[in-house]
Amino acid sequence: MDVAVHCLKDVPGDVPRPEGLVFAAYVERDDTADVVLFPMASKVQCLADLAPGALVGTSAVRRRAQLGQVRPDLRVEYRRGNVNSRLGRLDAGEEFDAIVLARASLARLGIERAGEALDIIPAVGAGVSAVDCRRADPDIGSGAAAGPPGHAAVRESGAR
């Protein structure tokens, strides 16, 4: 593998980076909002309308903690998986009454879906795509720093 693209919010900040890897570029920051989504067939359209005890899924400790402050009566549980499978399970009524996702991830995947933006503190690195490559491959790093089509890289971090 020559390059990997990460949502910077998902890169652990408390673990040393693997030796020899470098972020060659970052794409300009997108929307940082987290949104709560409800099943397509649900009449519920906002967090305030969820019944006490409703089950909300998210993969972020940060979101769970903040939702607990906003709505301590909700059950907020850990849920991972790709976005499409989480939305599919939500709409099928399999587990959750609502889920929380990053609005930028929905936009990047071309998913247009109504949801309520949460008034919570975003993750460090939210909305930022980072291009990771081997420091020893200057040609790859330089190409990554040029940015993907339609997006200019806003920072090169020593990939040369």
Side-chain angles (χ1 to χ4, degrees), residues 77-115:
E77 294 186 6
Y78 184 78
R79 177 55 55 209
R80 287 204 51 90
N82 71 54
V83 171
N84 287 324
S85 67
R86 284 193 255 178
L87 289 171
R89 290 192 311 265
L90 176 68
D91 290 337
E94 292 178 10
E95 300 175 81
F96 295 96
D97 298 298
I99 60 174
V100 182
L101 297 171
R103 187 160 34 204
S105 67
L106 295 169
R108 287 184 185 126
L109 293 170
I111 298 171
E112 293 185 26
R113 184 159 173 154

Side-chain angles (χ1 to χ4, degrees), residues 5 14 21 40 64 79 94 96 124 128 133 139 144 151:
V5 178
D14 59 345
L21 294 183
M40 293 294 279
R64 289 196 310 268
R79 177 55 55 209
E94 292 178 10
F96 295 96
V124 172
V128 177
C133 70
D139 292 340
H151 294 83

